[in-house]
Structures are given as C-alpha cells and as structure tokens.
Amino acid sequence: DVKVTQSSRYLVKRTGEKVFLECVQDMDHENMFWYRQDPGLGLRLIYFSYDVKMKEKGDIPEGYSVSREKKERFSLILESASTNQTSMYLCASSPRHISNTEAFFGQGTRLTVV
Amino acid sequence: AQTVTQSQPEMSVQEAETVTLSCTYDTSENNYYLFWYKQPPSRQMILVIRQEAYKQQNATENRFSVNFQKAAKSFSLKISDSQLGDTAMYFCAFMKHEGGNMLTFGGGTRLMVKP
C-alpha cells in the first residue's frame, strides 16, 4: 500500500516559533504537495515539489517555505508561526508522469498556534 | 485559474437511501480530470471516483456514480444505498491535464448518514 506519513497528528506551538512539518512517502513518487485545510475553504495548495531540491509556489505560499533534500521527504516550514496559521495541514504525493492518477494523502497535522 | 464550488456545506441521508452531492467548476481548459475525495473522521483522504473530461460516459464505482455535464461544468456525486460508513466530508477536485498533478478543491460537503 502507498503510504504517506506525517510526523505529527497534533501540534501546539507558540507565536513566533519556527515550526517544521515533516512528510515522508514510500512509493518513490516524484510529486509532493502541501495543502492547508480550513472549514468552508476546502484544501488550498501551499507549495509543491516535482523533484529533489525543486519547489513551486502554490496558491497561498506566504508565511511558509519548504525543503526537499531527499525524494521521499518534503518538509513544510513556518518561519515564524502566527495564529492565522492555525489549521489542518495535509501532505500528498503522486507520480509525475501519469497526469490522471490519484494523489495519496497523509493523515494530516492539526496545528494550533497560541 | 480554476475554481471549484460545492454549494451544500452539510447534508444528511437515511441509511439505504440515495443522496446527490453537487459540484460546479469554472475553467478555460478543455482537457482535465475531476475527482471526488472522501475524508472520514479518521482524516485519511480517500479517492472515491475519477472522471476524465474527454470521456462522455459517466464514471461509476460500485455504489458511487457521477453525473458529468461538461457544457454546464457540473460534476455531481450520487451515493446509492447509503451506509453509515459513508459519513464523511466529501471534496470535489479539479486537475488540469498537464498541470503537474495539482488539485484545486471545493469547500467540501459534510455528509451524515443516519441509521
């Protein structure tokens, strides 16, 4: 089975802290994504990566950065956490060259910034 | 840019009955894919069904089927013989044919199946 694993299910951080959300996939997928999920807004794309060390901004990249040093791992970084970044964060992966394939998701990290 | 709209924030259905979830989208693309994803309380997103825009035939997966109206840019999900395990958030999503597999999601519909 394809597995996408996010390092934490729940996280509580203080305003101004640097926060790392980690995501690992075991299917050798080229594409990896970070989405943010908020009630009524669905999922919105923060960043994606189509290869090691490659990254592209999604729809809402402000306040976030990403790192992809290894193919299987994609990290989301909140440089200075703010309360408006309290949300559910979902990581996903998919193969690159099959454009109609499904994306496989992690179980999400619910981040609370206090 | 693409937008996806789900106009029903919440719905409920009795067990064994049929329910239809609505989704409309806006795009200038001609080739694309549409998806319905399910997110149960466990939070694990699961693909329910997928439709390729160039295919006229509506996709079906067991109790799940879609009504794809390309000209109207409508993509509704019908769940037949609803089961308690169908209780979940349902998201409609759009993907361009050559778009790096990025998904654009609607706001979601929370479905409650009642015994």
Side-chain angles (χ1 to χ4, degrees):
Chain A
D1 280 351
V2 174
K3 195 164 184 180
V4 179
T5 303
Q6 294 183 229
S7 53
S8 305
R9 280 182 67 86
Y10 299 94
L11 212 52
V12 179
K13 294 292 182 180
R14 295 195 179 278
T15 302
E17 275 193 80
K18 191 169 186 176
V19 181
F20 293 85
L21 303 184
E22 307 286 348
C23 175
V24 177
Q25 50 96 0
D26 65 0
M27 284 302 293
D28 201 36
H29 286 167
E30 290 84 3
N31 296 332
M32 295 190 75
F33 308 86
W34 276 106
Y35 291 90
R36 171 176 169 159
Q37 181 180 352
D38 297 291
L41 298 178
L43 282 73
R44 293 176 292 166
L45 183 64
I46 304 172
Y47 268 97
F48 71 98
S49 169
Y50 54 87
D51 206 345
V52 176
K53 296 192 185 295
M54 306 301 289
K55 61 183 179 183
E56 296 286 344
K57 292 180 180 179
D59 298 319
I60 52 165
E62 297 79 16
Y64 304 94
S65 62
V66 290
S67 172
R68 192 159 180 208
E69 297 295 319
K70 294 184 177 181
K71 190 175 185 180
E72 68 270 18
R73 186 181 296 271
F74 191 36
S75 303
L76 181 69
I77 304 158
L78 286 65
E79 296 289 343
S80 178
S82 64
T83 55
N84 63 12
Q85 293 178 310
T86 291
S87 187
M88 172 82 81
Y89 292 88
L90 288 164
C91 176
S93 73
S94 71
R96 182 193 305 169
H97 296 296
I98 307 172
S99 60
N100 68 340
T101 191
E102 67 183 282
F104 295 89
F105 286 83
Q107 286 193 288
T109 297
R110 189 174 295 282
L111 173 67
T112 302
V113 182
V114 298
Chain B
Q2 287 66 231
T3 59
V4 178
T5 302
Q6 295 178 246
S7 59
Q8 305 148 315
E10 292 185 358
M11 296 189 73
S12 64
V13 63
Q14 292 296 133
E15 197 175 5
E17 293 190 348
T18 296
V19 64
T20 299
L21 280 58
S22 300
C23 173
T24 58
Y25 59 95
D26 190 23
T27 184
S28 58
E29 302 286 328
N30 192 47
N31 289 331
Y32 51 87
Y33 304 90
L34 295 163
F35 304 83
W36 279 97
Y37 277 88
K38 169 185 177 181
Q39 186 182 46
S42 68
R43 301 184 346 204
Q44 184 64 60
M45 291 277 278
I46 303 163
L47 177 67
V48 175
I49 200 164
R50 146 178 53 213
Q51 174 78 41
E52 295 154 26
Y54 61 87
K55 288 190 176 178
Q56 300 262 347
Q57 189 171 7
N58 289 324
T60 62
E61 287 288 341
N62 301 312
R63 298 182 295 108
F64 298 89
S65 61
V66 298
N67 182 4
F68 173 48
Q69 302 287 332
K70 190 173 184 181
K73 295 180 181 173
S74 170
F75 183 61
S76 61
L77 174 70
K78 185 171 84 170
I79 306 174
S80 304
D81 186 26
S82 297
Q83 300 175 0
L84 297 178
D86 296 333
T87 292
M89 283 290 292
Y90 287 82
F91 292 99
C92 178
F94 173 101
M95 179 194 292
K96 291 194 291 186
H97 179 71
E98 294 291 340
N101 289 14
M102 288 177 288
L103 291 162
T104 300
F105 286 87
T109 297
R110 185 176 300 279
L111 176 68
M112 172 78 72
V113 179
K114 299 179 178 180

